[in-house]
Amino acid sequence: MSDRIFIGGGGEAYAEPQCLLLGYANRHGLIAGATGTGKSVTLQIMAEEFSAAGVPVFLSDVKGDLSGLAASGRADQKLHEAFALRAEKIGFSDYTYSAFPVTFWDLFGVSGHPVRTTVSDMGPLLLARLLELSEAQEGVLNIAFRVSDEEGLPLLDLRDLQALLVWVGENADTLTLRYGNVSSASIGTIQRRLLVLENQGGAKLFGEPALDLADMMQVDPDGRGRINILAADQLMSAPKLYSTFLLWMLSELFEELPEVGDLDKPKLVFFFDEAHLLFDGAPKPLVDKVEQVARLIRSKGVGIYFVTQNPDDVPEDILGQLGNRVQHALRAFTAKDQKQLRLAAQTYRDNPRFSTEDAIREVGVGEAVTSMLEKKGVPGMVERTLIRPPGSQLGPISDDVRRAVRAASPVAGKYETLLDRESAFEILSKRSEAAAKAAEEADAAEAKLKEDEREFRSARRYDGGSTKTTTRSRTASTPSFGEQMGKTVLKELTGTTGRRIVRGILGSLFKAR
């Protein structure tokens, strides 16, 4: 049926179809379960179903095996017979193998198209989380962003931010009077954290051309939504970078997409794998922002599905907004595990045929406890569901196939070449060069003035051969007050203080423009 996607078979003998209504797919969801229980396959089949229904999908490939979505399953694969038997058991009569339209992305630009944003677009809140800054250090970062806006200094990449922080440090006294304390210790800490981020490869996230979100929301001519796969196997070695990038994407979707109300199907479904990384150690303001985005973004046609091991990984205020749930088995080896299992069971609408708590403990690999929103947004009764088999390849594709898919992508060549237009680094470098040149000219002017004065005094002492010296009047020999002030100012201009003044003047002129 065109108004829903097929998840699997439930009920007696697993013969009752378990479906997710597309009209409620933007009410968000959860895929949870212990390691090895089938979460990745569930994510894969849901991506297939959404794509077939014309809904674009974004997901991250943490283990590298979801790239199989780009290739068709085969009858000679190891699990063909098991898949065929499962399809027959759950009444999946039109089960066939098929490849799906996939666009590969990679922050490092190796396994997919490069994906970038600018430092300005990410903003100080997310950047502070990425750098794990304290409240005081985040305050200094906010000041730097404010200066960037007021001084017309675009922050495109990390080099721009590093140059701006140097400028902020040099002008800390002036900025402190206007914005609050700017300590050199905080600036030094931020610079060190930026260096660590560079060493992790994070510098490649920042730059231009920045990602156009419309490129992740494409539908192929055959009506299938494109599945956008972010290569995250290497990215997971820097979990803060991974989670912050996905947070930025959610934030951009929320800010850029228009309100559309309730649609027949979502404009985009966003799977957030390893969701616990998003909330581990996150400050409350950030969690509050995620909760706000989750609450409001559904009216913009976006469904968010968190994928994690335990529902307890997701804060309660956000968990309460996840209407469509697929719960694979949880292992209860400790008292804490047992408590979490009981709490997970209590979030479902009971089914009189079985105990939800027992079912979550007992379901096997490829089986799950499911509950989907029904008409009027009412939570469906919990069911033990046998998840449908995938139509695409189970497991990763070869490098040759990946390269071919990437070459045939509708965005091939758009993001591969890095742009480097004038930004904060270049502007501040020009200011520094101009200040240095002005200081050199001041040095030369003072040297010439001293030479002229020395020659003048020599000429006054020379009397055309007479051995007598001319007695000068007090007026002639004593510099006036104006001359003394002029010499003092000139001396200051040739020193370090003068160089700071020159920078300040250039800054004011630039600001005035």
Side-chain angles (χ1 to χ4, degrees):
M1 297 171 64
S2 60
D3 66 337
R4 62 195 64 193
I5 65 172
F6 180 56
I7 302 298
E12 296 291 342
Y14 302 108
E16 183 178 337
Q18 300 299 306
C19 300
L20 190 160
L21 297 176
L22 286 170
Y24 294 102
N26 65 335
R27 302 294 180 92
H28 312 318
L30 174 73
I31 302 174
T35 301
T37 56
K39 295 191 302 296
S40 295
V41 176
T42 297
L43 196 163
Q44 183 170 342
I45 66 101
M46 289 182 71
E48 290 179 2
E49 289 281 346
F50 278 122
S51 174
V55 179
V57 173
F58 175 86
L59 56 88
S60 49
D61 190 5
V62 174
K63 295 182 290 186
D65 51 357
L66 292 175
S67 61
L69 281 159
S72 174
R74 303 187 311 275
D76 60 350
Q77 68 183 359
K78 181 179 179 180
L79 294 175
H80 168 70
E81 186 176 346
F83 285 170
L85 290 173
R86 177 177 294 192
E88 182 180 358
K89 186 172 186 177
I90 63 177
F92 192 15
S93 57
D94 57 349
Y95 174 56
T96 57
Y97 290 128
S98 174
F100 289 82
V102 167
T103 302
F104 289 112
W105 302 90
D106 184 5
L107 187 148
F108 303 111
V110 177
S111 300
H113 304 294
V115 53
R116 306 183 192 90
T117 184
T118 65
V119 172
S120 293
D121 283 344
M122 178 160 284
L125 177 63
L126 291 180
L127 195 57
R129 180 183 188 272
L130 176 58
L131 300 177
E132 300 182 87
L133 302 182
S134 67
E135 185 176 349
Q137 293 156 2
E138 183 179 347
V140 172
L141 190 64
N142 274 281
I143 291 172
F145 272 78
R146 181 66 176 271
V147 169
S148 166
D149 294 337
E150 293 184 351
E151 293 283 337
L153 300 170
L155 298 177
L156 304 182
D157 53 28
L158 290 189
R159 189 173 62 167
D160 293 324
L161 181 56
Q162 290 164 334
L164 179 60
L165 287 169
V166 171
W167 187 91
V168 167
E170 290 175 344
N171 296 271
D173 292 342
T174 303
L175 296 175
T176 294
L177 294 175
R178 183 171 183 181
Y179 300 111
N181 186 43
V182 178
S183 72
S184 57
S186 292
I187 293 176
T189 299
I190 298 172
Q191 294 282 40
R192 287 195 299 272
R193 298 286 171 83
L194 289 173
L195 181 61
V196 172
L197 181 61
E198 274 190 301
N199 293 338
Q200 293 174 340
K204 294 185 178 180
L205 171 60
F206 300 102
E208 290 185 320
L211 175 66
D212 182 356
L213 292 178
D215 288 334
M216 288 199 174
M217 303 176 69
Q218 297 189 37
V219 177
D220 267 19
D222 62 2
R224 293 187 298 174
R226 292 199 70 84
I227 301 174
N228 299 274
I229 300 179
L230 175 69
D233 46 350
Q234 295 183 27
L235 189 56
M236 288 303 294
S237 61
K240 288 289 184 186
L241 182 59
Y242 166 76
S243 59
T244 303
F245 169 73
L246 295 188
L247 264 180
W248 168 79
M249 279 199 62
L250 283 180
S251 177
E252 287 293 293
L253 288 167
F254 175 70
E255 292 169 5
E256 291 190 13
L257 295 181
E259 295 280 343
V260 294
D262 291 326
L263 301 173
D264 293 336
K265 60 185 179 182
K267 297 174 67 175
L268 176 72
V269 169
F270 189 105
F271 288 95
F272 202 131
D273 203 358
E274 301 293 340
H276 67 280
L277 296 176
L278 171 59
F279 304 107
D280 285 349
K284 190 176 186 306
L286 184 60
V287 175
D288 290 343
K289 181 176 181 180
V290 176
E291 189 271 334
Q292 181 186 22
V293 169
R295 177 162 38 87
L296 300 177
I297 202 171
R298 71 178 185 85
S299 64
K300 302 194 174 191
V302 178
I304 305 172
Y305 288 73
F306 294 99
V307 185
T308 189
Q309 292 195 15
N310 198 305
D312 192 51
D313 295 333
V314 182
E316 187 174 353
D317 289 342
I318 297 174
L319 189 64
Q321 299 181 47
L322 310 182
N324 303 294
R325 303 190 180 192
V326 180
Q327 176 67 66
H328 289 273
L330 289 178
R331 311 305 182 200
F333 297 116
T334 67
K336 182 180 178 181
D337 293 340
Q338 293 172 4
K339 180 180 178 181
Q340 290 176 340
L341 193 152
R342 283 195 299 272
L343 291 174
Q346 291 170 9
T347 62
Y348 289 90
R349 179 182 164 191
D350 288 336
N351 189 323
R353 290 193 296 108
F354 57 86
S355 163
T356 305
E357 184 177 339
D358 291 342
I360 294 175
R361 184 185 292 109
E362 295 169 358
V363 288
V365 177
E367 187 181 8
V369 172
T370 63
S371 174
M372 307 297 168
L373 292 178
E374 299 176 345
K375 291 185 177 180
K376 298 184 179 180
V378 176
M381 187 178 295
V382 66
E383 279 290 356
R384 291 185 63 152
T385 301
L386 198 60
I387 304 298
R388 56 146 284 197
S392 56
Q393 177 176 310
L394 191 66
I397 57 175
S398 66
D399 291 340
D400 289 340
V401 173
R402 183 186 286 269
R403 280 191 289 270
V405 171
R406 181 175 175 179
S409 164
V411 297
K414 180 175 181 179
Y415 296 99
E416 272 65 21
T417 302
L418 182 66
L419 302 180
D420 187 18
R421 64 184 176 94
E422 185 177 72
S423 52
F425 178 83
E426 289 79 13
I427 294 171
L428 291 172
S429 295
K430 289 180 180 179
R431 288 190 190 182
S432 179
E433 291 171 3
K437 183 177 180 181
E440 288 177 4
E441 291 175 351
D443 286 338
E446 185 192 28
K448 188 176 186 305
L449 181 62
K450 289 180 178 179
E451 180 64 26
D452 290 345
E453 184 178 359
R454 188 163 53 250
E455 291 179 357
F456 174 77
R457 289 176 177 174
S458 297
R460 289 293 301 270
R461 286 195 298 270
Y462 182 66
D463 62 354
S466 172
T467 58
K468 291 185 177 180
T469 58
T470 304
T471 303
R472 291 178 293 174
S473 68
R474 180 180 179 85
T475 303
S477 61
T478 305
S480 68
F481 176 77
E483 290 174 334
Q484 288 178 332
M485 283 298 296
K487 291 179 181 179
T488 301
V489 171
L490 184 58
K491 186 178 293 183
E492 286 296 311
L493 281 173
T494 60
T496 306
T497 304
R499 290 186 177 89
R500 286 200 297 269
I501 293 174
V502 169
R503 287 194 186 102
I505 292 171
L506 287 175
S508 298
L509 290 173
F510 185 83
K511 184 177 179 182
R513 288 204 300 271

